[in-house]
Amino acid sequence: MNPTLVGTPVSDGIAIARAVWITSSARQESSKTIPPEEVEKELARWEKTCREVTEHLQKQRNFAEKTSAEILEIYLEMLDDPEWNTEVCRQIQTCRKSVPAAISEVLRPWILEMESLEDDYARQRAEDLRALENLLQEILSSAAPMETIPQNEPFIAVGEEIPPVFLIGKRNSHLRGILSQRGGTTSHTAILAQTLGIPAVMGCDGLFGKVRTGDLLLLDGSEGKIWLHPDSSLQEMYRKRLVRKKMPDISTPPLPVAYQGRRISLKINAADLSAVEAVRQYQADGVGLFRSEFLFMSETPDEETQFLFYRQLLENVPGPVFIRTLDVGGDKPIPGISLPPETNPFLGMRGCRLYPLHFSLIFQQLRALLRASMNGNLRILFPMIISPDEVTFLRQLIFQVQESLEAESLPFQKNVPVGLMIETPAAVMMASELAAQVDFFNLGTNDLTQYTLAVDRNHPDVGKLYNPRHPAVLRMIERTLQAASEASIEVCLCGELAGEPEMVKILLEMGLNEWSVTPSKIPLIRETLRKYV
């Protein structure tokens, strides 16, 4: 039975449940203008609305887990932004707009501008503005809650776009999956879905008119496939897969794992301090990839803030922590770095290419990292490397940072291991030369697949060609492992391919010893590894 619809897989897992369309019941007032005598009343109404939405978000934030709380904090910062607050008041006072109309007048141009940008990350931020607008309009219209969901039965949320706020607090509800026409892998909804372990498929064209509330859906968040009214045999096949994924017991201490005399290591990918609990809960061997750029998403932290954060992380994680230095550009812009518009940002200024232009930013981060190295097992990981010259520059940069710390009598570990992300064909072809300069490699198969196959995985037309199991990608991995073996350095695989149990035996035979995966995938990969050792 072929899938009815195909979209972008953004959160792994399988869901079989009835569809529920999530739509905003907010209604904008028909009158766009108000008489002069009502201006003061509308200004007071706007102030009251902001206060109510702020209180609502703060209450949710206080009881939310870390990732959810951080996203709610972004909404609170938007509400507190004096620029847009002033502009809404101007629309009410000068243009005599009603509050709902003024909100739309101010937010709509920003949303449209973000959606028009080539940068995928910027387009996804438009989702946040739309979600905030919906919240404000709901309060203003005194409408019923934005969703009408079943109280005692599982469901899959379906909509043009599922706002992030909808997911917060849904960990123990009957929400089984997410299916939307808009959205992508960098959206806050996608990040939350992954954090909460909710299967999700986004960017799925053709939802309108095909899927209705009450329709039975089978959603495969790993493959981006959706079946409408799946037959009993297909449901049974996927239910068996679901049971197999739930079988591993994380309460049992992991046994030492070895393959042909090689010790096998299983670590987690992380982006915040939840890594501390995840490593302990899943009894992982450490953090194989820590994405430090998430610290910079809402504001640029100073050196002391970074130092305290890294110190807390390193102090509490048993085992090594591989912290990737600031990796922005491409699909990950941040407030502290202004990037000029690029026709193809994935081939432009990103990763280490930005460091010479924003020297103080990376210098500050390296100072914070080296200072924190006294408190744990730090590994420094540099992204987007294509030549030995770039490694020479980075080694010199580390030396300068060490000199600056010594001049201030600040303690640090002098021989912190330094490694590179292997995520371009150029890095693979230069792997032997690069291996001679560093202590380890991390294989980033997400970008390596994209660059090897010349495929934008989020593109609606060519995304289906994205395949990390493509023979060309596998040969890239094998070549990297061979070069690392000859140089006697380790390689950790930290892309999505590392979380695929079907690839475990192939990767073992290639010579891979270290996996780093989403925490929830640890039990399954551990059980799969045990089959071959």
Side-chain angles (χ1 to χ4, degrees), residues 65-224:
E65 58 184 309
K66 183 174 178 59
T67 306
S68 302
E70 288 173 350
I71 291 172
L72 289 169
E73 189 62 42
I74 291 172
Y75 290 166
L76 287 166
E77 287 174 5
M78 288 181 188
L79 276 172
D80 199 39
D81 183 349
E83 180 184 349
W84 98 281
N85 210 312
T86 300
E87 184 57 25
V88 171
C89 290
R90 190 188 70 78
Q91 288 285 336
I92 296 170
Q93 289 175 305
T94 307
C95 304
R96 300 214 317 274
K97 299 285 186 183
S98 65
V99 175
I103 291 170
S104 292
E105 287 288 334
V106 174
L107 287 183
R108 282 291 104 191
W110 293 356
I111 292 170
L112 291 173
E113 181 181 357
M114 287 183 180
E115 288 177 333
S116 69
L117 296 174
E118 290 292 328
D119 180 12
D120 182 61
Y121 183 92
R123 289 199 301 268
Q124 298 303 336
R125 295 293 69 79
E127 171 194 317
D128 295 327
L129 289 176
R130 281 194 297 271
L132 181 61
E133 181 183 14
N134 281 336
L135 272 174
L136 290 165
Q137 300 288 10
E138 293 287 352
I139 294 288
L140 285 163
S141 65
S142 302
M146 66 168 291
E147 71 277 2
T148 302
I149 61 175
Q151 294 300 308
N152 298 304
E153 60 183 83
F155 71 99
I156 294 174
V158 180
E160 180 180 5
E161 188 171 61
I162 306 298
V165 193
F166 176 75
L167 272 66
I168 295 171
K170 296 293 191 297
R171 179 186 285 278
N172 298 314
S173 79
H174 297 287
L175 178 63
R176 294 292 181 269
I178 297 164
L179 175 60
S180 66
Q181 185 149 315
R182 307 174 73 154
T185 55
T186 58
S187 69
H188 279 149
T189 300
I191 294 169
L192 272 178
Q194 293 159 12
T195 301
L196 299 173
I198 300 171
V201 177
M202 298 181 179
C204 185
D205 290 332
L207 282 183
F208 292 106
K210 272 196 176 177
V211 179
R212 299 179 180 179
T213 292
D215 285 344
L216 182 65
L217 297 180
L218 193 162
L219 181 149
D220 184 342
S222 306
E223 299 288 336

Side-chain angles (χ1 to χ4, degrees), residues 500-517:
E500 296 188 15
E502 298 84 358
M503 291 301 299
V504 165
K505 190 171 190 297
I506 295 171
L507 293 167
L508 278 171
E509 291 174 348
M510 283 184 181
L512 183 69
N513 298 332
E514 297 186 28
W515 274 252
S516 188
V517 299

Side-chain angles (χ1 to χ4, degrees), residues 373-384:
S373 68
M374 298 295 292
N375 302 96
N377 195 345
L378 173 66
R379 306 282 195 274
I380 296 177
L381 179 61
F382 289 112
M384 199 63 179

